Protein backbone atom coordinates (compact mmCIF):
# COMPACT_ATOMS: atom_id res chain seq x y z
CA UNK A 1 0.00 0.00 0.00
CA UNK A 2 0.98 3.63 -0.35
CA UNK A 3 0.90 5.24 3.07
CA UNK A 4 1.47 8.83 4.14
CA UNK A 5 2.39 9.72 7.72
CA UNK A 6 2.25 13.36 8.75
CA UNK A 7 4.55 14.21 11.66
CA UNK A 8 7.90 12.55 12.30
CA UNK A 9 7.79 12.70 16.10
CA UNK A 10 7.78 9.63 18.29
CA UNK A 11 4.55 8.13 17.02
CA UNK A 12 4.92 9.13 13.37
CA UNK A 13 8.51 7.98 13.01
CA UNK A 14 7.91 4.61 14.66
CA UNK A 15 4.67 4.03 12.74
CA UNK A 16 6.26 5.08 9.43
CA UNK A 17 9.30 2.84 9.90
CA UNK A 18 7.10 -0.09 10.99
CA UNK A 19 4.67 0.27 8.07
CA UNK A 20 7.70 0.18 5.75
CA UNK A 21 8.82 -2.95 7.60
CA UNK A 22 5.39 -4.47 6.85
CA UNK A 23 6.04 -3.99 3.14
CA UNK A 24 4.27 -0.68 2.44
CA UNK A 25 5.64 2.36 0.62
CA UNK A 26 5.73 5.11 3.20
CA UNK A 27 6.05 8.85 2.78
CA UNK A 28 6.83 10.57 6.07
CA UNK A 29 5.95 14.27 6.01
CA UNK A 30 7.33 16.95 8.30
CA UNK A 31 7.61 20.72 8.02
CA UNK A 32 10.75 20.89 10.18
CA UNK A 33 13.55 21.19 7.61
CA UNK A 34 16.35 20.38 10.06
CA UNK A 35 14.61 17.24 11.20
CA UNK A 36 14.00 16.16 7.62
CA UNK A 37 17.62 16.78 6.70
CA UNK A 38 18.79 14.74 9.70
CA UNK A 39 16.45 11.86 8.84
CA UNK A 40 17.48 11.96 5.20
CA UNK A 41 21.12 11.92 6.27
CA UNK A 42 20.57 8.70 8.18
CA UNK A 43 20.24 9.98 11.73
CA UNK A 44 17.84 8.52 14.27
CA UNK A 45 16.60 11.41 16.44
CA UNK A 46 15.32 9.29 19.35
CA UNK A 47 16.74 6.55 21.54
CA UNK A 48 14.52 3.61 20.66
CA UNK A 49 15.41 -0.06 20.35
CA UNK A 50 15.32 -1.38 16.73
CA UNK A 51 14.41 2.01 15.24
CA UNK A 52 17.91 2.71 13.86
CA UNK A 53 17.85 -0.75 12.22
CA UNK A 54 14.46 -0.14 10.62
CA UNK A 55 15.45 3.31 9.36
CA UNK A 56 18.65 1.87 7.95
CA UNK A 57 16.78 -1.03 6.34
CA UNK A 58 14.07 1.03 4.61
CA UNK A 59 15.36 4.60 4.18
CA UNK A 60 15.38 5.61 0.53
CA UNK A 61 13.70 2.32 -0.45
CA UNK A 62 10.27 1.94 1.11
CA UNK A 63 10.59 4.89 3.47
CA UNK A 64 10.91 8.45 2.16
CA UNK A 65 11.02 11.77 4.01
CA UNK A 66 9.49 14.88 2.52
CA UNK A 67 8.24 18.37 3.30
CA UNK A 68 5.67 18.23 0.52
CA UNK A 69 2.32 17.31 2.11
CA UNK A 70 0.26 17.75 -1.07
CA UNK A 71 2.47 15.38 -3.01
CA UNK A 72 2.45 12.80 -0.20
CA UNK A 73 -1.37 12.94 0.06
CA UNK A 74 -1.82 12.49 -3.68
CA UNK A 75 0.46 9.45 -3.68
CA UNK A 76 -1.13 7.77 -0.63
CA UNK A 77 -4.25 5.69 -0.08
CA UNK A 78 -4.11 6.25 3.67
CA UNK A 79 -2.75 9.28 5.49
CA UNK A 80 -1.98 8.96 9.21
CA UNK A 81 -1.98 12.21 11.17
CA UNK A 82 0.67 11.90 13.89
CA UNK A 83 1.38 15.53 14.75
CA UNK A 84 1.82 16.87 18.28
CA UNK A 85 -1.11 17.61 20.58
CA UNK A 86 0.58 19.66 23.34
CA UNK A 87 -1.22 20.33 26.62
CA UNK A 88 -2.82 23.71 27.34
CA UNK A 89 -2.84 25.36 30.77
CA UNK A 90 -6.35 24.09 31.60
CA UNK A 91 -5.40 20.43 30.95
CA UNK A 92 -7.17 20.39 27.58
CA UNK A 93 -5.00 19.67 24.52
CA UNK A 94 -4.07 22.02 21.71
CA UNK A 95 -5.48 20.53 18.51
CA UNK A 96 -4.40 23.37 16.22
CA UNK A 97 -1.70 21.25 14.49
CA UNK A 98 -4.23 18.52 13.79
CA UNK A 99 -6.65 21.12 12.42
CA UNK A 100 -4.08 22.73 10.18
CA UNK A 101 -2.91 19.39 8.77
CA UNK A 102 -6.53 18.35 8.14
CA UNK A 103 -7.15 21.61 6.25
CA UNK A 104 -4.03 21.09 4.13
CA UNK A 105 -4.93 17.48 3.36
CA UNK A 106 -8.43 18.61 2.29
CA UNK A 107 -6.98 20.79 -0.46
CA UNK A 108 -4.87 17.94 -1.84
CA UNK A 109 -7.52 15.22 -2.12
CA UNK A 110 -8.15 14.06 -5.70
CA UNK A 111 -9.15 10.37 -5.24
CA UNK A 112 -10.68 8.42 -2.31
CA UNK A 113 -8.44 8.55 0.78
CA UNK A 114 -8.70 7.46 4.37
CA UNK A 115 -7.41 9.98 6.88
CA UNK A 116 -6.45 8.35 10.17
CA UNK A 117 -6.02 10.10 13.49
CA UNK A 118 -3.03 8.48 15.14
CA UNK A 119 -2.14 11.29 17.57
CA UNK A 120 -3.71 10.97 21.01
CA UNK A 121 -6.82 13.12 20.77
CA UNK A 122 -10.00 13.69 22.76
CA UNK A 123 -13.33 12.21 21.75
CA UNK A 124 -15.08 14.19 18.95
CA UNK A 125 -11.76 15.00 17.22
CA UNK A 126 -12.72 12.64 14.40
CA UNK A 127 -15.95 14.56 13.88
CA UNK A 128 -14.03 17.83 13.86
CA UNK A 129 -11.40 16.59 11.41
CA UNK A 130 -14.18 15.57 9.04
CA UNK A 131 -15.90 18.94 9.44
CA UNK A 132 -12.68 20.88 8.86
CA UNK A 133 -11.95 18.88 5.72
CA UNK A 134 -15.41 19.58 4.35
CA UNK A 135 -15.06 23.30 5.17
CA UNK A 136 -11.78 23.27 3.25
CA UNK A 137 -13.35 21.87 0.13
CA UNK A 138 -12.71 18.10 0.38
CA UNK A 139 -15.49 16.30 -1.57
CA UNK A 140 -17.44 14.18 0.99
CA UNK A 141 -17.44 11.08 -1.23
CA UNK A 142 -13.63 11.18 -1.55
CA UNK A 143 -12.62 10.63 2.06
CA UNK A 144 -13.35 8.99 5.40
CA UNK A 145 -11.76 9.70 8.75
CA UNK A 146 -10.73 6.77 10.95
CA UNK A 147 -9.40 6.67 14.53
CA UNK A 148 -6.50 4.31 15.14
CA UNK A 149 -4.90 5.08 18.51
CA UNK A 150 -1.39 3.90 19.26
CA UNK A 151 -0.41 2.02 22.40
CA UNK A 152 3.36 2.22 22.06
CA UNK A 153 5.58 2.51 25.09
CA UNK A 154 8.75 4.52 24.77
CA UNK A 155 11.76 2.24 24.86
CA UNK A 156 9.86 -0.67 23.32
CA UNK A 157 7.83 1.22 20.73
CA UNK A 158 8.94 -0.82 17.70
CA UNK A 159 8.21 -4.16 19.37
CA UNK A 160 4.90 -2.79 20.69
CA UNK A 161 3.92 -1.78 17.16
CA UNK A 162 4.89 -5.09 15.60
CA UNK A 163 3.59 -7.31 18.43
CA UNK A 164 0.54 -5.42 19.67
CA UNK A 165 -1.92 -6.66 22.30
CA UNK A 166 -4.57 -5.21 20.03
CA UNK A 167 -5.04 -2.90 17.07
CA UNK A 168 -8.05 -0.63 17.47
CA UNK A 169 -9.66 0.82 14.37
CA UNK A 170 -12.64 3.14 14.70
CA UNK A 171 -14.33 3.70 11.36
CA UNK A 172 -17.68 4.90 10.06
CA UNK A 173 -17.77 2.95 6.81
CA UNK A 174 -16.84 -0.62 5.86
CA UNK A 175 -14.65 0.70 3.04
CA UNK A 176 -12.66 2.84 5.43
CA UNK A 177 -12.24 0.05 8.00
CA UNK A 178 -11.12 -2.41 5.30
CA UNK A 179 -8.40 -0.08 4.06
CA UNK A 180 -6.94 0.58 7.53
CA UNK A 181 -7.18 -3.14 8.37
CA UNK A 182 -5.29 -3.91 5.16
CA UNK A 183 -2.36 -1.77 6.34
CA UNK A 184 -2.01 -4.03 9.38
CA UNK A 185 -2.70 -7.33 7.56
CA UNK A 186 0.83 -8.78 7.88
CA UNK A 187 0.35 -8.54 11.66
CA UNK A 188 -3.25 -9.75 11.83
CA UNK A 189 -2.77 -12.72 9.46
CA UNK A 190 0.57 -13.58 11.10
CA UNK A 191 2.62 -13.48 7.88
CA UNK A 192 5.07 -10.95 9.33
CA UNK A 193 6.04 -13.41 12.05
CA UNK A 194 7.11 -15.99 9.50
CA UNK A 195 9.75 -13.71 7.96
CA UNK A 196 13.33 -14.74 8.62
CA UNK A 197 14.47 -11.16 9.21
CA UNK A 198 11.55 -10.03 11.38
CA UNK A 199 12.29 -7.80 14.34
CA UNK A 200 12.30 -10.09 17.39
CA UNK A 201 9.41 -9.70 19.78
CA UNK A 202 7.88 -11.04 22.96
CA UNK A 203 6.11 -14.02 21.36
CA UNK A 204 7.40 -17.28 19.92
CA UNK A 205 5.96 -19.21 17.02
CA UNK A 206 2.63 -18.34 15.54
CA UNK A 207 1.13 -15.06 16.49
CA UNK A 208 -1.75 -13.10 15.03
CA UNK A 209 -2.41 -9.60 16.26
CA UNK A 210 -5.96 -8.92 17.38
CA UNK A 211 -7.92 -6.33 15.43
CA UNK A 212 -10.79 -4.58 17.18
CA UNK A 213 -13.35 -2.69 15.12
CA UNK A 214 -15.16 0.10 16.91
CA UNK A 215 -16.96 3.36 16.30
CA UNK A 216 -14.67 6.38 15.96
CA UNK A 217 -15.75 7.79 19.33
CA UNK A 218 -15.12 4.47 21.09
CA UNK A 219 -11.63 4.28 19.58
CA UNK A 220 -10.87 7.78 20.87
CA UNK A 221 -12.13 6.90 24.34
CA UNK A 222 -10.20 3.60 24.39
CA UNK A 223 -6.92 5.49 24.17
CA UNK A 224 -7.64 7.93 26.99
CA UNK A 225 -9.31 5.33 29.18
CA UNK A 226 -6.38 2.88 28.73
CA UNK A 227 -3.78 5.42 29.80
CA UNK A 228 -5.94 6.69 32.66
CA UNK A 229 -6.46 3.14 33.89
CA UNK A 230 -2.73 2.35 33.81
CA UNK A 231 -1.94 5.59 35.63
CA UNK A 232 -4.61 4.67 38.18
CA UNK A 233 -2.97 1.27 38.69
CA UNK A 234 0.37 2.96 39.43
CA UNK A 235 -1.15 5.50 41.82
CA UNK A 236 -3.10 2.73 43.50
CA UNK A 237 0.02 0.68 44.15
CA UNK A 238 1.87 3.78 45.33
CA UNK A 239 -0.91 4.53 47.82
CA UNK A 240 -0.78 0.89 48.97
CA UNK A 241 3.02 1.24 49.34
CA UNK A 242 2.51 4.23 51.65
CA UNK A 243 0.06 2.15 53.64
CA UNK A 244 2.68 -0.63 53.86
CA UNK A 245 5.22 1.84 55.23
CA UNK A 246 2.81 3.02 57.90
CA UNK A 247 1.69 -0.42 59.09
CA UNK A 248 5.01 -2.22 58.57
CA UNK A 249 3.99 -4.48 55.67
CA UNK A 250 6.06 -5.21 52.56
CA UNK A 251 4.67 -3.88 49.27
CA UNK A 252 6.44 -6.55 47.19
CA UNK A 253 4.65 -9.28 49.14
CA UNK A 254 1.37 -7.41 48.90
CA UNK A 255 1.77 -7.00 45.11
CA UNK A 256 2.61 -10.67 44.72
CA UNK A 257 -0.62 -11.43 46.54
CA UNK A 258 -2.89 -9.04 44.70
CA UNK A 259 -1.18 -9.42 41.29
CA UNK A 260 -1.74 -13.18 41.37
CA UNK A 261 -5.43 -12.55 40.96
CA UNK A 262 -5.77 -12.86 37.18
CA UNK A 263 -8.41 -10.14 37.22
CA UNK A 264 -5.82 -7.70 38.56
CA UNK A 265 -2.53 -8.97 37.06
CA UNK A 266 1.05 -8.26 38.08
CA UNK A 267 1.99 -5.71 35.46
CA UNK A 268 2.05 -2.01 36.25
CA UNK A 269 2.12 -2.68 39.97
CA UNK A 270 5.63 -1.35 40.52
CA UNK A 271 5.66 1.32 43.22
CA UNK A 272 8.12 4.17 42.88
CA UNK A 273 8.50 7.92 42.56
CA UNK A 274 5.35 8.12 40.42
CA UNK A 275 4.67 8.03 36.71
CA UNK A 276 5.99 10.62 34.27
CA UNK A 277 6.52 10.94 30.54
CA UNK A 278 4.74 12.71 27.75
CA UNK A 279 1.62 10.55 27.97
CA UNK A 280 0.17 9.63 31.37
CA UNK A 281 0.28 13.09 33.01
CA UNK A 282 -1.03 14.83 29.89
CA UNK A 283 -3.61 12.23 28.93
CA UNK A 284 -5.03 12.05 32.44
CA UNK A 285 -5.63 15.81 32.46
CA UNK A 286 -7.03 15.72 28.93
CA UNK A 287 -9.41 12.90 29.84
CA UNK A 288 -10.55 14.88 32.88
CA UNK A 289 -11.08 17.95 30.70
CA UNK A 290 -13.19 15.92 28.25
CA UNK A 291 -15.27 14.57 31.16
CA UNK A 292 -15.74 18.07 32.53
CA UNK A 293 -16.80 19.45 29.17
CA UNK A 294 -19.32 16.63 28.91
CA UNK A 295 -20.77 17.64 32.29
CA UNK A 296 -19.26 14.70 34.20
CA UNK A 297 -17.24 14.88 37.39
CA UNK A 298 -14.59 12.15 37.13
CA UNK A 299 -13.04 12.80 40.56
CA UNK A 300 -11.10 9.53 40.50
CA UNK A 301 -8.74 11.08 37.94
CA UNK A 302 -7.97 14.01 40.30
CA UNK A 303 -7.02 11.55 43.00
CA UNK A 304 -4.76 9.57 40.65
CA UNK A 305 -2.86 12.78 39.80
CA UNK A 306 -2.73 13.84 43.46
CA UNK A 307 -1.26 10.54 44.66
CA UNK A 308 1.30 10.72 41.85
CA UNK A 309 2.40 14.22 42.83
CA UNK A 310 2.54 13.23 46.50
CA UNK A 311 4.87 10.37 45.67
CA UNK A 312 7.68 12.81 44.81
CA UNK A 313 7.24 14.65 48.11
CA UNK A 314 7.30 11.37 49.99
CA UNK A 315 10.60 10.53 48.32
CA UNK A 316 12.09 13.88 49.35
CA UNK A 317 10.93 13.25 52.91
CA UNK A 318 12.75 9.90 52.77
CA UNK A 319 15.96 11.62 51.72
CA UNK A 320 15.56 13.99 54.67
CA UNK A 321 14.87 11.07 56.99
CA UNK A 322 18.08 9.41 55.82
CA UNK A 323 20.29 12.49 55.93
CA UNK A 324 18.60 14.75 58.51
CA UNK A 325 19.51 18.09 56.91
CA UNK A 326 19.91 18.65 53.19
CA UNK A 327 21.74 21.97 52.81
CA UNK A 328 25.26 21.37 51.47
CA UNK A 329 24.81 17.60 51.19
CA UNK A 330 26.43 15.92 48.23
CA UNK A 331 24.12 13.51 46.44
CA UNK A 332 24.84 10.97 43.73
CA UNK A 333 21.73 10.68 41.57
CA UNK A 334 21.26 7.63 39.38
CA UNK A 335 18.65 8.12 36.66
CA UNK A 336 17.14 11.18 35.01
CA UNK A 337 14.89 9.71 32.28
CA UNK A 338 11.20 9.31 33.13
CA UNK A 339 11.70 5.56 32.86
CA UNK A 340 14.31 3.07 31.65
CA UNK A 341 15.05 2.42 27.99
CA UNK A 342 14.57 6.00 26.87
CA UNK A 343 16.37 9.36 26.76
CA UNK A 344 13.06 11.16 27.28
CA UNK A 345 12.92 13.43 30.33
CA UNK A 346 9.50 14.98 29.73
CA UNK A 347 7.58 15.17 33.04
CA UNK A 348 10.30 12.99 34.54
CA UNK A 349 9.87 12.58 38.31
CA UNK A 350 13.69 12.38 38.49
CA UNK A 351 14.13 15.87 37.06
CA UNK A 352 11.48 17.31 39.40
CA UNK A 353 13.16 15.67 42.40
CA UNK A 354 16.63 16.95 41.45
CA UNK A 355 15.18 20.47 41.07
CA UNK A 356 13.70 20.26 44.57
CA UNK A 357 17.00 19.00 45.98
CA UNK A 358 18.87 21.89 44.38
CA UNK A 359 16.39 24.30 45.97
CA UNK A 360 17.20 22.74 49.34
CA UNK A 361 20.87 23.56 48.75
CA UNK A 362 22.10 20.04 47.85
CA UNK A 363 25.03 19.46 45.52
CA UNK A 364 24.06 16.93 42.89
CA UNK A 365 26.17 14.72 40.64
CA UNK A 366 23.96 12.77 38.26
CA UNK A 367 24.29 9.93 35.82
CA UNK A 368 21.84 8.44 33.33
CA UNK A 369 22.76 5.92 30.60
CA UNK A 370 20.77 7.78 27.91
CA UNK A 371 19.17 11.02 29.08
CA UNK A 372 22.10 13.23 30.13
CA UNK A 373 22.26 15.25 26.94
CA UNK A 374 18.61 16.23 27.26
CA UNK A 375 18.83 16.66 31.03
CA UNK A 376 21.69 19.16 30.74
CA UNK A 377 19.30 21.61 29.09
CA UNK A 378 16.95 21.41 32.09
CA UNK A 379 19.31 22.82 34.69
CA UNK A 380 21.16 26.15 34.83
CA UNK A 381 24.78 25.64 33.71
CA UNK A 382 26.97 24.30 36.50
CA UNK A 383 24.10 23.64 38.92
CA UNK A 384 24.33 19.85 38.42
CA UNK A 385 27.48 17.87 37.73
CA UNK A 386 27.19 15.03 35.24
CA UNK A 387 29.23 11.87 35.72
CA UNK A 388 30.37 9.45 33.06
CA UNK A 389 29.15 6.40 34.96
CA UNK A 390 27.19 5.42 38.05
CA UNK A 391 30.26 4.87 40.24
CA UNK A 392 31.64 8.31 39.42
CA UNK A 393 28.26 9.86 40.31
CA UNK A 394 28.25 8.41 43.82
CA UNK A 395 31.97 8.83 44.53
CA UNK A 396 32.27 10.73 47.82
CA UNK A 397 28.50 11.37 48.00
CA UNK A 398 26.60 11.55 51.27
CA UNK A 399 23.94 9.31 49.72
CA UNK A 400 23.05 7.58 46.50
CA UNK A 401 19.54 8.26 45.15
CA UNK A 402 18.01 5.94 42.54
CA UNK A 403 15.37 7.68 40.45
CA UNK A 404 14.99 5.66 37.21
CA UNK A 405 14.52 1.90 36.88
CA UNK A 406 17.51 1.24 34.57
CA UNK A 407 18.56 -2.41 34.71
CA UNK A 408 22.24 -1.34 34.75
CA UNK A 409 21.70 0.13 38.20
CA UNK A 410 20.40 -3.09 39.69
CA UNK A 411 23.63 -4.77 38.53
CA UNK A 412 25.89 -2.33 40.41
CA UNK A 413 28.59 -3.80 42.63
CA UNK A 414 27.32 -3.10 46.14
CA UNK A 415 30.70 -3.45 47.81
CA UNK A 416 32.20 -0.89 45.47
CA UNK A 417 29.18 1.31 46.01
CA UNK A 418 29.72 1.22 49.76
CA UNK A 419 33.41 1.99 49.40
CA UNK A 420 32.74 4.99 47.21
CA UNK A 421 29.96 6.55 49.28
CA UNK A 422 30.89 8.89 52.12
CA UNK A 423 27.91 7.66 54.11
CA UNK A 424 26.57 4.17 53.33
CA UNK A 425 23.12 5.44 52.40
CA UNK A 426 21.01 4.45 49.39
CA UNK A 427 17.54 5.93 48.88
CA UNK A 428 15.91 3.90 46.14
CA UNK A 429 12.82 5.38 44.49
CA UNK A 430 12.41 2.36 42.21
CA UNK A 431 12.88 -0.64 44.54
CA UNK A 432 15.74 -2.05 42.46
CA UNK A 433 17.34 -4.00 45.32
CA UNK A 434 16.27 -6.55 47.89
CA UNK A 435 16.57 -5.01 51.37
CA UNK A 436 18.29 -8.15 52.73
CA UNK A 437 21.01 -7.82 50.10
CA UNK A 438 21.61 -4.18 51.02
CA UNK A 439 21.76 -5.10 54.68
CA UNK A 440 24.34 -7.81 53.94
CA UNK A 441 26.36 -5.26 51.96
CA UNK A 442 26.37 -2.98 54.99
CA UNK A 443 24.28 -0.26 53.36
CA UNK A 444 21.51 1.74 54.93
CA UNK A 445 18.66 1.34 52.52
CA UNK A 446 15.42 3.28 52.12
CA UNK A 447 12.96 2.12 49.46
CA UNK A 448 9.24 2.41 48.68
CA UNK A 449 6.66 0.47 50.69
CA UNK A 450 9.25 -1.66 52.50
CA UNK A 451 10.94 -1.43 55.88
CA UNK A 452 14.04 0.76 56.06
CA UNK A 453 17.37 -1.00 56.53
CA UNK A 454 19.29 1.06 59.04
CA UNK A 455 22.43 -0.39 60.53
CA UNK A 456 24.17 1.75 63.12
CA UNK A 457 27.24 -0.42 62.75
CA UNK A 458 27.45 0.20 59.00
CA UNK A 459 27.15 3.94 59.58
CA UNK A 460 29.80 4.04 62.30
CA UNK A 461 32.24 1.83 60.36
CA UNK A 462 31.84 3.94 57.25
CA UNK A 463 32.15 7.17 59.21
CA UNK A 464 35.38 5.96 60.84
CA UNK A 465 36.77 4.75 57.50
CA UNK A 466 36.22 8.16 55.94
CA UNK A 467 37.51 10.00 59.01
CA UNK A 468 40.75 7.98 58.79
CA UNK A 469 40.98 8.63 55.04
CA UNK A 470 40.44 12.36 55.57
CA UNK A 471 43.05 12.35 58.34
CA UNK A 472 45.53 10.57 56.11
CA UNK A 473 44.84 12.97 53.27
CA UNK A 474 45.42 15.92 55.62
C1 LIG B 1 2.39 4.85 28.03
C2 LIG B 1 1.54 3.60 27.84
O1 LIG B 1 2.10 2.50 28.59
C3 LIG B 1 1.45 3.20 26.36
O2 LIG B 1 0.58 2.10 26.21
C4 LIG B 1 0.91 4.40 25.56
O3 LIG B 1 0.85 4.13 24.17
C5 LIG B 1 1.82 5.59 25.78
O4 LIG B 1 1.87 5.90 27.19
C6 LIG B 1 1.26 6.75 25.00
O5 LIG B 1 0.15 7.18 25.29
O6 LIG B 1 1.88 7.17 24.01
P1 LIG B 1 5.02 5.36 28.16
O7 LIG B 1 4.62 6.72 28.59
O8 LIG B 1 6.04 5.22 27.10
O9 LIG B 1 3.73 4.53 27.64
O10 LIG B 1 5.61 4.60 29.42
P2 LIG B 1 5.14 3.49 30.47
O11 LIG B 1 6.00 2.31 30.32
O12 LIG B 1 3.69 3.29 30.44
O13 LIG B 1 5.55 4.21 31.85
C7 LIG B 1 4.97 5.46 32.21
C8 LIG B 1 5.47 5.88 33.59
O14 LIG B 1 4.95 5.03 34.61
C9 LIG B 1 6.99 5.83 33.76
O15 LIG B 1 7.41 6.98 34.47
C10 LIG B 1 7.24 4.57 34.57
O16 LIG B 1 8.43 4.63 35.33
C11 LIG B 1 6.00 4.56 35.45
N1 LIG B 1 5.61 3.21 35.92
C12 LIG B 1 5.22 2.25 35.05
C13 LIG B 1 5.60 2.96 37.28
O17 LIG B 1 5.94 3.84 38.13
N2 LIG B 1 5.19 1.73 37.74
C14 LIG B 1 4.81 0.74 36.88
O18 LIG B 1 4.44 -0.35 37.37
C15 LIG B 1 4.82 1.02 35.51
Amino acid sequence: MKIGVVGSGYVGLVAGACFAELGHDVCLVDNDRDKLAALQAGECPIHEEFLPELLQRHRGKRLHFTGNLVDAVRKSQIIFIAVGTPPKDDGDVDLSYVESVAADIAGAIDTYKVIVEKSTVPVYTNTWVRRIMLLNGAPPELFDVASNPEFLREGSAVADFLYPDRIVVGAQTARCFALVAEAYRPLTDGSYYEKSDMIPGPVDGHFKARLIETSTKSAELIKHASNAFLAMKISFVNAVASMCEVVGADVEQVCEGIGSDSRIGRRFLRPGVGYGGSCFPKDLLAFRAVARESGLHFGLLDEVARVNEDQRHRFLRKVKKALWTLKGKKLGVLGLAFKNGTDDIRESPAIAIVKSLLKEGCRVTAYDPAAMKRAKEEFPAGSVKFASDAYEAIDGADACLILTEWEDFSALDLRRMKQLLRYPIVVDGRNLFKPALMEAAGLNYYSVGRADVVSTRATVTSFMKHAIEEDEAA
Side-chain angles (χ1 to χ4, degrees):
M1 296 180 86
K2 307 264 184 229
I3 291 179
V5 178
V6 189
S8 66
Y10 223 99
V11 175
L13 191 57
V14 171
C18 288
F19 279 128
E21 170 73 1
L22 297 186
H24 304 303
D25 278 329
V26 180
C27 223
L28 204 66
V29 188
D30 207 294
N31 56 9
D32 181 333
R33 280 167 191 272
D34 294 340
K35 212 170 182 182
L36 279 180
L39 286 166
Q40 276 155 349
E43 283 174 33
C44 180
I46 49 177
H47 178 90
E48 191 63 55
E49 199 180 13
F50 302 123
L51 190 58
E53 287 92 322
L54 288 189
L55 294 179
Q56 164 85 21
R57 208 182 266 188
H58 304 297
R59 182 186 298 112
K61 295 168 204 148
R62 289 206 294 261
L63 181 61
H64 299 273
F65 304 102
T66 177
N68 190 334
L69 178 78
V70 172
D71 191 42
V73 170
R74 297 231 160 107
K75 278 186 191 144
S76 306
Q77 297 157 278
I78 306 184
I79 299 104
F80 287 85
I81 301 181
V83 294
T85 52
K88 295 195 291 190
D89 288 343
D90 60 357
D92 208 351
V93 283
D94 175 1
L95 292 169
S96 58
Y97 299 114
V98 176
E99 176 174 354
S100 122
V101 168
D104 290 347
I105 292 174
I109 284 188
D110 50 355
T111 54
Y112 177 77
K113 316 271 177 201
V114 169
I115 317 305
V116 188
E117 8 157 271
K118 194 79 181 142
S119 309
T120 300
V121 289
V123 68
Y124 293 120
T125 305
N126 188 294
T127 314
W128 270 108
V129 169
R130 185 170 176 80
R131 223 177 267 173
I132 291 300
M133 291 192 52
L134 291 171
L135 286 172
N136 283 278
E141 69 287 2
L142 285 193
F143 77 96
D144 277 308
V145 186
S147 298
N148 170 222
E150 57 80 21
F151 303 102
L152 316 176
R153 286 162 302 168
E154 289 188 23
S156 56
V158 169
D160 286 345
F161 188 100
L162 296 170
Y163 297 83
D165 287 339
R166 78 300 206 188
I167 296 161
V168 173
V169 177
Q172 272 166 340
T173 67
R175 184 184 187 190
C176 167
F177 173 76
L179 214 61
V180 182
E182 179 62 17
Y184 287 100
R185 196 163 50 79
L187 302 181
T188 53
D189 70 7
S191 56
Y192 177 70
Y193 311 107
E194 281 157 21
K195 283 176 55 167
S196 57
D197 61 347
M198 67 172 185
I199 295 290
V203 293
D204 291 331
H206 290 298
F207 178 70
K208 285 184 182 175
R210 182 164 177 226
L211 184 65
I212 302 177
E213 182 179 2
T214 68
S215 70
T216 54
K217 289 192 185 104
S218 298
E220 290 166 329
L221 271 189
I222 286 169
K223 171 68 193 188
H224 269 158
S226 296
N227 274 3
F229 190 88
L230 290 169
M232 178 183 76
K233 220 173 162 186
I234 299 169
S235 278
F236 184 85
V237 79
N238 280 332
V240 170
S242 304
M243 191 84 180
C244 288
E245 286 172 15
V246 175
V247 303
D250 183 317
V251 75
E252 305 296 334
Q253 293 175 2
V254 173
C255 285
E256 173 73 16
I258 56 178
S260 302
D261 185 326
S262 58
R263 292 168 303 174
I264 297 173
R266 284 161 203 261
R267 294 173 74 189
F268 269 70
L269 279 184
R270 285 193 326 269
V273 284
Y275 59 78
S278 65
C279 304
F280 286 174
K282 180 183 106 173
D283 290 356
L284 201 82
L285 294 183
F287 197 30
R288 191 179 64 178
V290 172
R292 203 185 292 134
E293 268 168 39
S294 317
L296 289 171
H297 174 64
F298 202 160
L300 181 60
L301 301 180
D302 294 324
E303 193 55 15
V304 171
R306 190 199 63 75
V307 171
N308 196 54
E309 180 65 28
D310 195 40
Q311 212 55 18
R312 297 171 189 186
H313 303 304
R314 288 186 72 84
F315 182 83
L316 288 168
R317 287 202 290 274
K318 276 192 184 114
V319 180
K320 280 188 192 158
K321 185 163 89 171
L323 284 168
W324 189 24
T325 63
L326 291 184
K327 197 168 166 199
K329 289 275 160 62
K330 187 171 179 243
L331 303 173
V333 166
L334 304 186
L336 294 164
F338 83 96
K339 66 169 194 179
N340 61 332
T342 178
D343 60 349
D344 199 339
I345 52 156
R346 283 176 288 175
E347 298 287 327
S348 171
I351 300 286
I353 288 170
V354 171
K355 284 185 177 166
S356 303
L357 291 167
L358 292 175
K359 264 196 205 142
E360 296 270 2
C362 295
R363 291 173 295 146
V364 173
T365 305
Y367 170 71
D368 187 285
M372 293 214 289
K373 194 164 161 245
R374 290 184 182 215
K376 277 179 189 162
E377 291 158 21
E378 277 296 307
F379 303 107
S383 63
V384 172
K385 279 193 189 151
F386 293 91
S388 53
D389 66 25
Y391 296 114
E392 189 188 316
I394 61 169
D395 192 1
D398 293 310
C400 162
L401 313 187
I402 301 174
L403 299 180
T404 308
E405 65 273 45
W406 285 100
E407 278 164 23
D408 308 16
F409 298 156
S410 38
L412 287 174
D413 176 346
L414 297 181
R415 272 215 292 182
R416 190 165 166 205
M417 201 174 198
K418 185 169 178 228
Q419 275 168 357
L420 289 170
L421 282 166
R422 195 167 110 86
Y423 295 152
I425 295 173
V426 177
V427 190
D428 182 358
R430 297 293 190 162
N431 284 6
L432 292 191
F433 296 99
K434 295 225 176 311
L437 212 67
M438 300 305 264
E439 190 165 19
L443 288 157
N444 287 350
Y445 183 58
Y446 302 82
S447 56
V448 186
R450 304 183 296 182
D452 299 337
V453 172
V454 186
S455 148
T456 324
R457 211 173 126 244
T459 315
V460 171
T461 324
S462 163
F463 178 77
M464 283 171 66
K465 190 188 100 199
H466 283 287
I468 293 166
E469 276 169 11
E470 274 164 24
D471 251 14
E472 280 172 0

